[in-house]
Amino acid sequence: MKRFVYFISDGTGITAETLGNALLAQFDKIEFIRETLPYIDSHEKAERAVQKINKAALESGAPAIVFDTVIDVQIRSVIDTADAFKVDIFEAFLSPLEKELSVDSSYSVGKSHSSADTVRYFNRIEAVNFALDNDDGARTRHYEEADVILVGVSRSGKTPTCLYLAMQFGIKAANYPLTEEDMHDLVLPEKLRKYRKKLFGLTIDPERLSAIRTERKANSRYASLNQCYREVDEVEMLYEEENIPYINATNRSIEEISTRILETTGLKRSLSF
């Protein structure tokens, strides 16, 4: 079964995407064809969106599904004419909250992603720059500033996790790849010892690691299954020996890995609102 899904907003569409995808994830037997339509902030844009939605409904033989966070009442009335099952996210959540709080909401476009809190905004920008500047053990002299230092074998997911922690939570995350030389005696590299309390380990199933490395360097010792088994076994023994908290990242999303890191380390989230 195939259904077309549209995330519509007069802002970036991030809120509609996030909540909509969280709901759609519960229906894994259906193929969803997703499209985001941001900045639908005029009557003309709304009409074009409706045309696109109706065309998709005609093509699939079923109404499209629309998640929207449009504020303007007139634009919403245009979108309401589409051949679609419509989920008005703001209406679904704001109306009950207004009733509970006995006050009207501001209904401001882009309010949920406002950069008015400039301190938190620039903290996140600084954290992203830190993650990029301290990727792959490039500049260990900056580790004193790090909130957390991710360690693990090459291609175990350290870099994307660091960037997510930075962009989403403003956390300064560095990462250090543990090589064969580092694990030779199953002791922490000298560069990491003074930052022992900041370390968090990532591990990965050897079969998955081999597949990832093969995409990068096919038919190499680096990507061989034997090599991947050896490195993963050694790094996990190192974590246990040094009492470093760690997580297997194989079947986990970056969001889940990051949440586990925050939960384990006690680091606070610096949210954007």
Side-chain angles (χ1 to χ4, degrees):
M1 182 183 299
K2 179 172 70 174
R3 295 292 292 270
F4 284 89
V5 179
Y6 292 90
F7 306 104
I8 301 180
S9 175
D10 41 18
T12 63
I14 292 174
T15 299
E17 282 182 343
T18 301
L19 293 176
N21 280 319
L23 295 171
L24 295 177
Q26 308 305 314
F27 303 92
D28 54 4
K29 294 182 180 179
I30 299 176
E31 178 187 0
F32 294 112
I33 311 300
R34 300 169 169 86
E35 184 174 352
T36 300
L37 304 177
Y39 303 113
I40 304 300
D41 51 9
S42 70
H43 193 279
E44 293 73 20
K45 290 180 181 178
E47 286 183 333
R48 288 197 295 269
V50 168
Q51 291 173 4
K52 176 172 287 194
I53 293 167
N54 288 344
K55 182 180 179 181
L58 186 63
E59 177 184 329
S60 65
I65 299 171
V66 170
F67 294 93
D68 92 82
T69 54
V70 175
I71 298 297
D72 188 279
V73 174
Q74 292 185 338
I75 294 176
R76 280 164 56 191
S77 67
V78 175
I79 295 172
D80 284 341
T81 66
D83 182 11
F85 173 77
K86 187 167 174 287
V87 180
D88 185 336
I89 293 174
F90 281 165
E91 179 65 24
F93 294 103
L94 283 182
S95 291
L97 274 173
E98 288 175 333
K99 184 176 180 180
E100 174 64 24
L101 299 172
S102 298
V103 64
D104 291 337
S105 63
S106 62
Y107 282 90
S108 300
V109 176
K111 188 75 172 182
S112 62
H113 295 282
S114 172
S115 59
D117 187 342
T118 55
V119 174
R120 288 183 178 177
Y121 175 76
F122 284 112
N123 280 347
R124 294 202 313 279
I125 297 300
E126 185 181 354
V128 170
N129 288 332
F130 182 87
L132 292 172
D133 205 30
N134 293 274
D135 183 46
D136 246 12
R139 299 189 178 181
T140 58
R141 67 178 183 275
H142 293 154
Y143 281 5
E144 192 68 44
E145 302 173 34
D147 297 312
V148 65
I149 302 168
L150 302 188
V151 293
V153 299
S154 173
R155 315 307 292 180
S156 57
K158 300 182 299 300
T159 296
T161 303
C162 283
L163 287 171
Y164 183 83
L165 286 168
M167 289 188 289
Q168 193 71 12
F169 304 121
I171 288 173
K172 289 186 176 180
N175 78 77
Y176 185 96
L178 292 168
T179 65
E180 283 186 281
E181 292 75 17
D182 290 326
M183 295 180 286
H184 183 69
D185 297 317
L186 289 183
V187 295
L188 277 177
E190 181 67 33
K191 295 177 180 179
L192 296 179
R193 289 178 191 171
K194 64 184 295 186
Y195 306 111
R196 169 70 190 74
K197 293 183 178 179
K198 293 185 178 185
L199 302 183
F200 191 98
L202 296 185
T203 187
I204 185 172
D205 290 352
E207 293 86 354
R208 177 58 182 154
L209 180 61
S210 177
I212 294 172
R213 288 181 172 183
T214 295
E215 293 178 3
R216 186 180 178 93
K217 292 185 179 179
N219 302 315
S220 65
R221 177 174 174 271
Y222 169 76
S224 71
L225 193 55
N226 284 340
Q227 178 66 18
C228 291
Y229 263 104
R230 182 180 299 109
E231 288 187 32
V232 170
D233 285 345
E234 289 179 348
V235 79
E236 290 183 1
M237 283 191 287
L238 177 63
Y239 294 155
E240 296 290 347
E241 182 70 24
E242 297 286 346
N243 199 27
I244 298 171
Y246 68 96
I247 186 174
N248 188 315
T250 307
N251 295 313
R252 291 185 167 94
S253 66
I254 292 176
E255 294 86 349
E256 183 180 356
I257 295 168
S258 299
T259 300
R260 296 278 186 177
I261 291 171
L262 295 180
E263 181 183 27
T264 303
T265 61
L267 289 171
K268 302 298 182 185
R269 307 169 182 231
S270 177
L271 299 177
S272 58
F273 50 84

